[in-house]
């Protein structure tokens, strides 16, 4: 189970009720035979219930794009892990670079979210990645290491099995051009080795997925790399044909049109 590849669709602040209905219905129809890939859709908050309803009894899981680090209380505008569970959403995205940048999320806040979600039985994807300046200044590994150790502070073995790491080099997100495969390989190996040294006894280390301008033409070389267990997709996940193409490539499935 833990070795399954994984494809996340992060729709960000896009789409509306009608386009989401069409997209979810088309995607679930086209991907209904895919069994060897975890397929996860992350709609904006107002549409989560719609998507969980539409994907009940399918092979598709639903994610949120954020979550708060308290269970309940006076936190206007926030959504707790318990609420997500209540509506069938089981995979919050935590620490996306856009939230770190625009909402000033810190590693400490992100760590609290990871701990609260995983101890409440939710799966999470913890996103991290370096800026262009950090890469230019050879600070990539320092930055990744810092985000990893601080984001996973106090995580125990049981929680670990519920975590996926999303490596997203910030400057390639939304740029239309993915990072070079050599660079992706190098950072994924680094993350794997760091996880191995942080959790030497663990049999199920987190899967590591790549995100940043993945599309139907670059998916194959990326997902074939060692220690790349899947992808996180933004723009390309808004197009049913492209998204399904990516999932089918990841699953290496032959797809024949349903009648
Ligand atoms: C993202 O924001 O997580 C992402 C990967 O976006 P894009 O695929 O558009 O680069």
């Amino acid at each position: 189970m833990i070795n399954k590849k994984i494809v996340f669709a992060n729709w960000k602040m896009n789409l509306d009720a009608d386009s989401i209905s069409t997209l979810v219905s088309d995607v679930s129809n086209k991907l209904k035979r895919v069994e060897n890939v975890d397929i996860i859709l992350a709609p904006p908050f107002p549409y989560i219930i719609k998507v969980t309803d539409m994907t009940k009894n399918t092979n598709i899981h639903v994610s949120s794009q954020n979550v708060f680090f308290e269970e309940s209380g006076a936190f206007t505008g926030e959504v707790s892990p318990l609420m997500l569970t209540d509506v069938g959403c089981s995979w919050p995205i935590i620490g996306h670079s856009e939230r770190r940048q625009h909402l000033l999320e810190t590693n400490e806040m992100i760590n609290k979210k990871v701990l609260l979600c995983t101890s409440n039985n939710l799966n999470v994807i913890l996103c991290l990645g370096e800026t262009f300046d950090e890469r230019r200044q050879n600070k990539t590994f320092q930055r990744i290491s810092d985000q990893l150790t601080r984001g996973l502070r106090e995580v125990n073995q049981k929680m670990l099995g519920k975590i996926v790491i999303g490596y997203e080099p910030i400057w390639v997100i939304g740029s239309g051009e993915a990072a070079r495969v050599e660079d992706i390989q190098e950072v994924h190996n680094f993350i794997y080795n760091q996880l191995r040294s942080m959790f030497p006894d663990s049999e199920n280390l987190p899967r590591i997925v790549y995100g940043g301008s993945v599309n139907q033409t670059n998916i194959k070389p990326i997902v074939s790399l060692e220690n790349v267990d899947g992808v996180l997709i933004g723009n390309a996940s808004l197009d049913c044909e492209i998204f399904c193409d990516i999932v089918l490539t990841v699953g290496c499935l032959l797809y024949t049109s349903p009648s």
Side-chain angles (χ1 to χ4, degrees):
M1 190 69 156
I2 201 73
N3 293 325
K4 255 182 162 181
K5 297 270 186 195
I6 188 162
V7 177
F8 281 87
N10 176 11
W11 293 341
K12 310 196 187 195
M13 202 171 68
N14 293 302
L15 305 173
D16 58 17
D18 285 347
S19 52
I20 283 179
S21 290
T22 308
L23 184 56
V24 173
S25 137
D26 291 350
V27 164
S28 51
N29 191 31
K30 282 178 186 271
L31 299 180
K32 65 186 173 198
R33 294 183 208 163
V34 177
E35 289 173 357
N36 58 351
V37 181
D38 283 328
I39 306 163
I40 301 164
L41 307 179
F45 274 121
Y47 307 115
I48 283 181
I49 295 183
K50 180 189 202 50
V51 180
T52 54
D53 281 350
M54 288 185 74
T55 54
K56 237 174 230 151
N57 306 318
T58 72
N59 54 347
I60 291 175
H61 306 271
V62 183
S63 171
S64 59
Q65 299 173 19
N66 180 37
V67 63
F68 194 53
F69 50 73
E70 294 287 345
E71 289 188 352
S72 63
F75 302 104
T76 303
E78 295 298 335
V79 173
S80 95
L82 306 187
M83 294 168 178
L84 295 179
T85 303
D86 197 25
V87 298
C89 170
S90 50
W91 272 97
I93 297 174
I94 297 179
H96 192 282
S97 61
E98 286 152 15
R99 295 197 59 83
R100 291 181 192 252
Q101 183 190 348
H102 301 300
L103 285 304
L104 308 182
E105 284 195 7
T106 63
N107 285 313
E108 287 60 43
M109 292 158 76
I110 288 161
N111 176 244
K112 285 200 225 173
K113 295 179 182 198
V114 169
L115 295 176
L116 188 64
C117 286
T118 52
S119 57
N120 276 290
N121 229 16
L122 286 165
N123 300 293
V124 302
I125 172 163
L126 167 61
C127 295
L128 39 85
E130 79 285 8
T131 62
F132 185 61
D133 280 350
E134 285 163 341
R135 176 158 282 273
R136 253 194 344 196
Q137 293 162 18
N138 288 323
K139 290 186 178 158
T140 299
F141 298 126
Q142 187 185 320
R143 166 79 162 173
I144 302 284
S145 173
D146 190 51
Q147 290 173 324
L148 213 46
T149 34
R150 291 164 76 185
L152 295 180
R153 201 177 57 91
E154 290 180 15
V155 161
N156 62 33
Q157 295 287 341
K158 195 165 168 227
M159 295 165 171
L160 200 60
K162 305 206 142 296
I163 297 172
V164 168
I165 304 296
Y167 168 56
E168 301 205 294
I170 294 170
W171 82 97
V172 298
I173 292 179
S175 71
E177 196 165 337
R180 297 184 317 166
V181 282
E182 309 88 274
D183 295 333
I184 299 172
Q185 184 67 83
E186 193 178 34
V187 178
H188 276 245
N189 287 348
F190 176 83
I191 293 172
Y192 176 82
N193 289 328
Q194 171 115 5
L195 288 169
R196 179 43 73 220
S197 69
M198 287 168 76
F199 303 97
D201 302 324
S202 175
E203 281 172 15
N204 45 347
L205 287 181
R207 285 174 286 179
I208 310 167
V209 303
Y210 166 79
S213 295
V214 171
N215 59 36
Q216 74 281 29
T217 50
N218 60 28
I219 181 64
K220 210 165 179 175
I222 291 175
V223 88
S224 308
L225 296 170
E226 198 182 349
N227 295 323
V228 174
D229 301 304
V231 284
L232 175 55
I233 308 168
N235 280 334
S237 70
L238 299 169
D239 182 304
C240 175
E241 294 302 321
I242 296 175
F243 179 69
C244 292
D245 225 26
I246 293 171
V247 175
L248 293 169
T249 304
V250 172
C252 291
L253 289 179
L254 280 176
Y255 170 66
T256 40
S257 289
S259 49

